[in-house]
């Protein structure tokens, strides 16, 4: 068994450097053998993992970064056989980890990983890509678009500022949606998510009943409501009580298809433009995952 760490030095506004130094020191002290691969640019983690998984030699790959780094790792997998994946969360949001048993403290996380057996979990197929946490459109895509336009502040504050502005002045988004083998339906929503994991936006639990190992997707959306109650309703959403809202809908399913007039969606924080149809399904393979 070989251990490979995929380390993203810019994750978490650079906070991953501190986390990795702690983990690196700990592993050296206990005499643990491993290889570390430092990413140099966007997409590099995917390339590294693809090269590592051409064969079926038993190995464990541990992502050191945020949801985006883990998403690249999952997208890079060539062969799933004899492969185990895990995560040391040190990104800005760390949303996926909330659906796992992995501690957020780096030293506690690596101790947990080295002492636990893997379990089989799901991932999401979204058009021609894989997601591990959540696919969505609406408010979260508006936040990401605004975030990328901002050139001031630190990345973490920039995201919080973008979230505040776009939440206060949110738009209604129209879409056509088909769940499993049902009929196409027109919906109007401020935010729609399809989750394997539970949270988006740094801990907002839009899919609070989602489980990463139940072979199901959680489809949740917030329907239309009076803007007069925006603050009250959003407080409930922030507290993880989205399912208490009578205009919020949630169902467990195997697949979701969508037609998007604005041709924009996101998966695990990756903003995708110029695609007007979206097909989301559970991945055929299972991932051996420690967490």
């Amino acid at each position: 068994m070989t251990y490979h760490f995929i380390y993203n030095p810019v994750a978490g506004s650079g906070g991953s450097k501190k986390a990795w130094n702690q983990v690196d020191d700990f592993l050296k002290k206990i005499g643990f053998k491993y290889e570390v691969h430092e990413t140099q640019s966007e997409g590099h983690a995917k390339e590294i993992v693809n090269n590592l998984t051409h064969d079926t030699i038993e190995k464990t790959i541990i992502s050191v970064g945020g949801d985006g780094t883990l998403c690249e790792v999952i997208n890079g997998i060539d062969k799933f056989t004899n492969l185990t994946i895990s995560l040391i969360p040190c990104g800005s949001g760390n949303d996926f980890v909330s659906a796992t048993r992995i501690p957020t403290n780096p030293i506690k996380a690596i101790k947990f990983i080295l002492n636990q057996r893997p379990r089989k979990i799901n991932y999401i197929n979204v058009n021609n890509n894989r997601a591990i946490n959540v696919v969505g459109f609406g408010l979260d895509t508006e936040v990401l678009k605004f975030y990328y336009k901002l050139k001031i502040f630190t990345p973490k504050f920039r995201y919080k500022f973008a979230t505040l502005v776009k939440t206060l002045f949110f738009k209604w988004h129209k879409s056509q949606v088909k769940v499993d083998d049902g009929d196409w339906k027109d919906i109007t929503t401020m935010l729609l998510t399809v989750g394997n994991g539970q949270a988006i936006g740094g801990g907002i639990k839009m899919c609070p009943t989602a489980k990463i190992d139940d072979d199901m997707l959680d489809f949740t959306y917030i329907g239309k409501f009076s803007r007069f109650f925006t603050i009250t309703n959003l407080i409930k959403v922030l507290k993880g009580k989205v399912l208490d809202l009578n205009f919020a809908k949630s169902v467990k399913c195997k697949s979701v298809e969508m037609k998007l007039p604005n041709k924009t969606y996101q998966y695990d924080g990756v903003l995708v433009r110029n695609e007007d149809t979206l097909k989301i399904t559970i991945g055929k393979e299972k991932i051996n995952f420690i967490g």
Side-chain angles (χ1 to χ4, degrees), residues 17 65 67 101 139 156 158 172 184 256:
K17 290 183 179 180
D67 292 343
R101 298 188 290 265
L139 178 62
K156 199 165 189 175
R158 204 155 61 217
W172 294 113
W184 285 98
V256 178

Side-chain angles (χ1 to χ4, degrees), residues 76-91:
I77 298 173
D78 181 11
K79 294 180 174 63
F80 286 76
T81 305
N82 292 326
L83 175 66
T84 298
I85 300 292
S86 196
L87 166 70
I88 294 175
C90 45

